[in-house]
């Protein structure tokens, strides 16, 4: 109840700040919010299932919490959801039947952490954060990442759920690997068909807190039925995620190979630095993918999502069907994204 009252006040505060542009008015309306409100917090994330993740992130932001805590909290929701067959627990396995997870996180001070091909851990994003905060490194991969997680109190679990196992066994009948466009949304919950050819899914999330600081997180089980050891764009800083607190942040979803070759999220941020809006920066980046791989890129889906320092957000995709979720003091909604094809 208390939390809800705070939230309602905060929403009012968000609208007041928007209408008047005056932070001092906003502050006096929010006498029970400890952190001084200099900016309207906002969180955005990939796909329809980003909505539930945003709600968890918003609880942190609305209390004046840090964007870094918000994005970690947010993406843990799909990571723990057995009905989400693309992220964390319940993620679809590689072709050997192993669920291998990729995740990265980046904060407002250019600090970053990443885990690649991590098995048996429900929350790879929290391991990535620990790599960032507790080691001199940025990336830990495979068994080294697992040993690091276990020695820091994470529990070893079986991530292959019966329905993901069934989907893999079905896939084994033909062993045909072809990424399916927009499978991410269909892979979530009731839309999932265990017998179908499910390929990939990711949540990328970026947020700005009341201090105006930006952080981001990206986590995935990668392309289903990938070769064992394959790593996509999602845990690669600059490809699946990039945060530059002076300019903004971007994240990606879709076929990671296409994103890596143009270092997509970093490119989006650099285009915003040149003055492009988030949507136009994402569009130019998608166009670059087609330019560098005119044969391959048009056949797959990739979407970019970006937030700038003014709190403006936007996205663009190769194909129709990419969606993203937004939560701030004014709106909680899902946007359908424009695309090249
Ligand atoms: N980007 C992820 C990867 O390539 C997959 C996805 O977003 O669906 O591993």
């Amino acid at each position: 109840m208390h939390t809800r009252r705070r939230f309602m006040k905060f929403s009012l505060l968000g609208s007041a700040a928007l209408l008047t542009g005056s932070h001092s008015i906003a502050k006096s309306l929010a006498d029970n919010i400890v952190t001084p409100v200099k900016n309207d917090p906002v969180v955005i994330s990939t796909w329809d299932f980003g909505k539930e993740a945003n709600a968890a992130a918003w609880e942190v932001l609305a209390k004046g919490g840090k964007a870094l805590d918000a994005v970690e909290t947010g993406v843990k929701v799909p990571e723990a959801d057995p009905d989400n067959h693309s992220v964390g627990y319940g993620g679809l396995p590689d072709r050997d039947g192993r669920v291998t997870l990729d995740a990265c996180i980046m904060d407002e001070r250019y600090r970053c952490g990443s885990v690649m091909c991590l098995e048996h851990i429900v929350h790879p994003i929290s391991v990535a954060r620990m790599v960032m905060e507790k080691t001199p490194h940025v990336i830990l991969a495979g068994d080294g990442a697992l040993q690091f997680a276990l020695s820091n109190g994470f529990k070893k679990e079986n991530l292959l759920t019966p329905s993901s196992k069934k989907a893999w066994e079905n896939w084994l009948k033909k062993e045909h690997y072809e990424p399916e466009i927009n499978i991410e949304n269909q892979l979530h919950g009731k839309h999932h068909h265990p017998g179908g050819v499910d390929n990939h899914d990711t949540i990328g999330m970026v947020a700005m807190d009341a201090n105006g600081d930006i952080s981001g997180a990206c986590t995935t089980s990668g392309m289903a039925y990938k070769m064992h050891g394959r790593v996509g764009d999602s845990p690669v800083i600059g490809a699946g995620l990039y945060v530059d607190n002076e300019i903004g942040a971007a994240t990606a979803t879709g076929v990671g190979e296409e994103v890596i070759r143009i270092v997509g999220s970093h490119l989006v941020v650099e285009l915003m630095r040149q003055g492009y809006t988030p949507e136009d920066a994402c569009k130019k980046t998608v166009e670059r993918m087609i330019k560098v791989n005119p044969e391959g890129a048009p056949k797959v889906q990739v979407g970019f999502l970006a937030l700038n320092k003014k709190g403006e957000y936007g996205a663009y995709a190769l194909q129709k069907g990419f969606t993203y979720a937004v939560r701030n003091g004014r709106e909680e909604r899902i946007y359908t994204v424009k695309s090249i094809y």
Side-chain angles (χ1 to χ4, degrees), residues 19 50 78 151 164 169 197 228 311:
L19 292 174
S151 63
S164 290
E169 282 163 358
V197 185
H228 181 64

Side-chain angles (χ1 to χ4, degrees), residues 91-114:
L92 287 164
D94 63 18
R95 57 190 61 178
D96 299 346
R98 295 163 76 159
V99 180
T100 65
L101 306 175
D102 295 338
C104 74
I105 194 159
M106 187 161 183
D107 78 359
E108 76 283 358
R109 291 190 280 153
Y110 305 93
R111 297 188 314 159
C112 39
S114 160

